[in-house]
Structure formats: C-alpha cells, structure tokens
Amino acid sequence: MTDKPAARPSRDLTSGPIASTLLVFALPVLGSNVLQSLNGSINAVWVGRYLGETALAATSNANLVLFLLLGTMFGIGMAATILVAQSVGARNLDEAKRIVGTSATFYFIVSLVFALGGWLWVDKILSLLATPPDAMPLARAYLLVIFAAVPAANLLGFVMTILRGAGDSRTPFFFMAFAVLLDIVLNPLLIAGIGPFPKMGIAGSAMATLIGQTVSVIAILVLLYRRKHPLRLAGPDLALLKPDPRLLRIIVAKGVPMGLQMIVISMAALVVMGLVNGYGSRVTAAYGITAQLWTYIQMPALAIGAAVSSMAAQNVGARRWDRIGRIAAAGVGFNLLLTGSLVVLLHLFDRPILGLFLANDSTAVDIAEHINNAASWSFILFGVTIVLFATVRATGAVLPPLIILIVSVLLIRTGFAYSLRDWLGQEALWWSFPAGSIASLALAAAYYRFGGWRTMHMIEEERPAAGEPPDTGLGVPRGRARLGEQAEG
C-alpha cells in the first residue's frame, strides 16, 4: 500500500472555521501541560513522604538542571515544528520529511551529548548550583538516572511537537498521559521497593521517569509506523536522517532565540526570588505558593500560543495570509476568556486555596493574598503577548520577541523591583509583574502592527522585492495572489 502524494499528515488547519478549530487544537495541549505539572507535584509528594525534606531539596536542585536542559532543546523543537507546519501548509510533504530527518538526528545527538556530559560532570554541576552538602549525595543519585532519561524524554517531546506542527494535538496528549501515569504509579513502587520492585530510594523516582518516557516514546513511534503516518521515515526515506546543512542552519538560527526566551524568563524569576528572600522566610513562603498558582494561571495562554503557532505556520505555508490576523484575534479572545476566568476564580477563592498550603500561618496567607491581588491580573496581559509572539514567530520572526522579553522582563520587571524597593518596599516586587507585562504587551502589539514579520518565511527562498512595503493585514495580502499554486505543492 502506497501513500498518496497529496495526503495530509494530520488535520488541515488552513481551512474551515478558525475559532472552533483553534480551541479544539489547543485543549489537548492544555491537558498535556496540566498533566506535566501535576506529575511534578505528585512526584514531589512521594519523595517528601518517603524520603523527607533533604530528598525534596535534592530533587529541586536536580530539576533546575533538567529545566535548563529542556529549555535549551525547546527552541530547537519549536523551530522544527514551525518548519514542518509551513511545509504541511504548503502541501510539500517531501520538504516536511527532510525537516523531520534533519531535526530528529540533530535533536538526538545533542540529547546524547547532554546525557554524557551530565554523567561526567554531575558533581561540578551540583557544586555550581550551590547544592546543600546534605542533599548532594541524593541529588547526585537522582541526576545520574535523570541524565540517562534525557534522550528518551527529548525524543518524546520532539515527536509530540512535530505532530502538533502537522496538525495533530490529540495523539501527543494521549501519550503524555500514558507517560505521566506510568511515572506516578512507578514512583512509590521504586522508591520504597513495594512488591517485586527493588528499593531504589530517590533514584527510584528518577527511574520511574526514565521508564515512563522510554515506554511512551517507543509506543508512539510504533503507533505512527503501524498507521503509516505520512511523515514517518521508512525505506529510502531513512537517508533523510543525514542532516541537511541548509535546514540545520535554519533550525539552529531560529531555535536558539526561542530557547533563549525561556532562559530570559527564568533569569528574571531568579532575580525576583533573590529579592524576595531578603524579606524573610514568611514572605518567601507566601510568594512561593502564589508563584505556584500563577503557573496554572499561565497554562491556557501557553496552550493557546502553541496552537496559534502551529495553525498560523500552516497558513503561512499555504499562503493564507487572509487567515493569520483572525487566528491571532481568536487566540487573544480565548486567552482573555480562559486566563481571565482563572484570575477571577483565584481572586474570589484565594484564601481557601492559599490556606491549603499555609494552613497554620494566617499571616503568610494574608501576604500571599495581597501578592495575588497585586500581580495575578497582569498574566492576562502577558497571555496576550504570548499569543502575539506565537503569531509572528510562525513566520520565522524570532529575534524581536526575544529582544522584547529582554527589555520588558529582564530589564523593566527586575529593574522596577530592584530600583524601587527602597521607596515602595515589598510592593515594588509585586507590582514589578504588572510593569513588565504592560511593557511586553505594548512592545509586542507595536511589533505585531508595524513590524516586518509578514514578509518572512522560514523555508521559502522567495522574498518581497526591495522597498516593497510589508503586508499590513489590510486589503488583500500579496500571498492571496498565489493561492492557486497550493495544489501544485
């Protein structure tokens, strides 16, 4: 049985209703994000219950290393996703397969380098993080297994992002749920040695992650090959695993700035956390719990942003510029609705929710409630920024969002918190979040409206003639004149 040349690898995101398609696509992405966060929280409960506070400190230090590794790979994966989405939108499956082959090989090689480097320099890495001496042996035991899990975890993440770029968000959700379920179930069994399982202590928690990620990535690959997914590499297509230098340059050049966006946000968070620590353990505890809740508040915007990026990139590939603005508008609307609803609910029920974490300290609850009221609403604005960033990067415009984040988050937010704390005290820290969000939204909206992102295309050699004004979203975009060529791709 042979595949038809014009076969679509997944759902077509270039036609049909925009709002409902975007929502249906985004919901499984949101589900995956929630599952990952719940997985981390539940695993922390198992570690804390069986092994105590020192083990929790060890996993916190180790997970920081893992976050930095995943952040580095995030950008590469997003670049590959956008490239695949543009090729799928253009109905150029040959190009999409070349992208999959090049990026898969590069992704796996970099993952192996990270794993081997982590094994060799695990002690130096933990020392650089100033890991407490009593937590060092546990963190080392945990990280050695986690580094072994990096190739499988990265490969699973890569396959899921490629499928989303091709228009399929449901399959990644199911296999993420499978990996999370395995991880949660195996954690206590391997930590405590329940039943036939060996007692591995903290290494058992990491081993549960390794098994969950490995089994899930094998299962999803088996499914894709059994279903003869059009983007699978088989037979002569296996030669495409040899990296294409042209595509590799694009992936790295576009991926690194997107990865750096996560690093910038993390750096700003570390700076603010350092300032918060200066006000004592009670304020730190209140802020820490509030920040955990903010993670869930941001999930809808992140899911919608991922959906907007894939959908917009397919439409860029299909030259459906008439749909890009409506995709962005739908994304902004859903963000206002979903993120806004979560912010309102947290505002109405903040005391009972915060009390779950700070039940024995009413003063800390008061502080956390004040922090939440001052800053949580700003994540509605930042969610709009995420959607606008997702839209423009679908064309390959990745440097402007990075520059905007450096200015608004790293400079304005942290600068506001640091420079005004002598005048405003703690209030400078909490109001630094609205200050950064307002700045990022203003800059993102200005670039979305006036920037040259509409003239960009990551995989197309053709560019507008010099001096030709960019599409503004008004009138008939230039790409509309070539819509008839889609069928030829």
Side-chain angles (χ1 to χ4, degrees), residues 64 67-68 260-277 284 287-288 291-292 294-295 298 379 382 405-406 408-415 417 429-430 432-433:
L64 178 58
F67 176 80
L68 292 174
L260 288 175
Q261 291 180 32
M262 292 187 68
I263 305 299
V264 167
I265 293 175
S266 299
M267 290 174 61
L270 289 174
V271 171
V272 172
M273 192 71 220
L275 296 176
V276 171
N277 287 336
T284 300
Y287 174 74
Q292 283 193 35
W294 291 345
T295 300
Q298 295 178 81
F379 291 102
F382 196 67
L405 280 181
I406 291 174
S408 61
V409 175
L410 197 56
L411 298 181
I412 293 179
R413 179 192 292 176
T414 59
L429 306 183
W430 321 142
S432 69
F433 288 91

Side-chain angles (χ1 to χ4, degrees), residues 210-227:
L210 171 59
I211 294 173
Q213 299 290 317
T214 302
V215 172
S216 189
V217 74
I218 292 173
I220 195 172
L221 288 174
V222 168
L223 177 71
L224 295 178
Y225 274 83
R226 289 192 63 178
R227 288 183 175 178

Side-chain angles (χ1 to χ4, degrees), residues 50-338:
Y50 284 106
L51 302 173
E53 294 180 359
T54 303
L56 273 177
T59 57
S60 297
N61 280 271
N63 286 333
L64 178 58
V65 177
L66 183 61
F67 176 80
L68 292 174
L69 292 179
L70 294 177
T72 304
M73 300 303 295
F74 166 81
I76 303 298
M78 278 304 304
T81 299
I82 294 170
L83 283 167
V84 167
Q86 288 189 1
S87 298
V88 168
R91 289 161 171 76
N92 189 345
L93 295 189
D94 290 336
E95 182 77 349
K97 285 184 177 182
R98 282 192 289 271
I99 295 162
V100 170
T102 293
S103 51
T105 300
F106 179 71
Y107 218 78
F108 193 68
I109 289 175
V110 174
S111 298
L112 286 178
V113 171
F114 281 161
L116 292 174
W119 266 70
L120 293 173
W121 296 304
V122 61
D123 293 326
K124 292 182 178 179
I125 292 171
L126 291 173
S127 296
L128 286 174
L129 290 174
T131 304
D134 59 338
M136 182 73 79
L138 293 173
R140 186 179 190 276
Y142 184 85
L143 260 185
L144 285 175
V145 182
I146 285 295
F147 279 127
V150 164
N154 278 344
L155 183 57
L156 177 61
F158 172 76
V159 173
M160 292 194 300
T161 57
I162 290 299
L163 288 177
R164 288 170 184 154
D168 179 6
S169 62
R170 294 181 61 191
T171 302
F173 168 74
F174 290 133
F175 283 92
M176 173 56 67
F178 182 47
V180 167
L181 179 63
L182 282 176
D183 196 345
I184 291 174
V185 171
L186 289 174
N187 244 275
L189 301 179
L190 290 170
I191 290 174
I194 299 173
F197 296 91
K199 185 176 181 180
M200 300 180 64
I202 195 169
S205 180
M207 182 59 69
T209 300
L210 171 59
I211 294 173
Q213 299 290 317
T214 302
V215 172
S216 189
V217 74
I218 292 173
I220 195 172
L221 288 174
V222 168
L223 177 71
L224 295 178
Y225 274 83
R226 289 192 63 178
R227 288 183 175 178
K228 296 185 177 180
H229 194 281
L231 291 185
R232 78 194 189 285
L233 301 180
D237 289 337
L238 291 174
L240 298 177
L241 289 171
K242 180 181 179 181
D244 182 326
R246 174 183 67 93
L247 292 175
L248 189 57
R249 284 194 297 270
I250 297 174
I251 291 170
V252 173
K254 300 297 184 181
V256 169
M258 285 190 279
L260 288 175
Q261 291 180 32
M262 292 187 68
I263 305 299
V264 167
I265 293 175
S266 299
M267 290 174 61
L270 289 174
V271 171
V272 172
M273 192 71 220
L275 296 176
V276 171
N277 287 336
Y279 289 96
S281 59
R282 181 167 286 169
V283 174
T284 300
Y287 174 74
I289 295 304
T290 307
Q292 283 193 35
L293 297 178
W294 291 345
T295 300
Y296 289 94
I297 288 178
Q298 295 178 81
M299 283 184 182
L302 293 173
I304 293 167
V308 165
S309 187
S310 295
M311 192 171 183
Q314 279 201 21
N315 282 272
V316 169
R319 304 177 185 272
R320 292 300 307 270
W321 288 95
D322 57 306
R323 290 168 57 88
I324 303 298
R326 287 185 287 155
I327 292 170
V332 169
F334 284 130
N335 168 73
L336 294 175
L337 176 63
L338 297 177

Side-chain angles (χ1 to χ4, degrees), residues 427-471:
E427 296 301 308
L429 306 183
W430 321 142
W431 286 95
S432 69
F433 288 91
S437 295
I438 291 171
S440 63
L441 177 56
L443 293 172
Y447 180 72
Y448 177 84
R449 177 63 180 85
F450 301 108
W453 59 275
R454 292 175 179 83
T455 67
M456 301 184 67
H457 198 299
M458 288 174 72
I459 57 177
E460 185 182 36
E461 293 298 328
E462 183 177 322
R463 292 288 186 273
E468 184 178 359
D471 288 332

Side-chain angles (χ1 to χ4, degrees), residues 5 85 179 183-184 280 349 372 416:
D183 196 345
I184 291 174
F349 303 103
N372 181 64
F416 187 101

Side-chain angles (χ1 to χ4, degrees), residues 350-382:
D350 52 359
R351 287 199 71 86
I353 294 174
L354 294 167
L356 294 174
F357 300 93
L358 301 166
N360 298 321
D361 192 340
S362 59
T363 304
V365 172
D366 292 338
I367 297 171
E369 182 181 11
H370 177 70
I371 295 171
N372 181 64
N373 290 336
S376 63
W377 62 272
S378 69
F379 291 102
I380 301 174
L381 306 182
F382 196 67

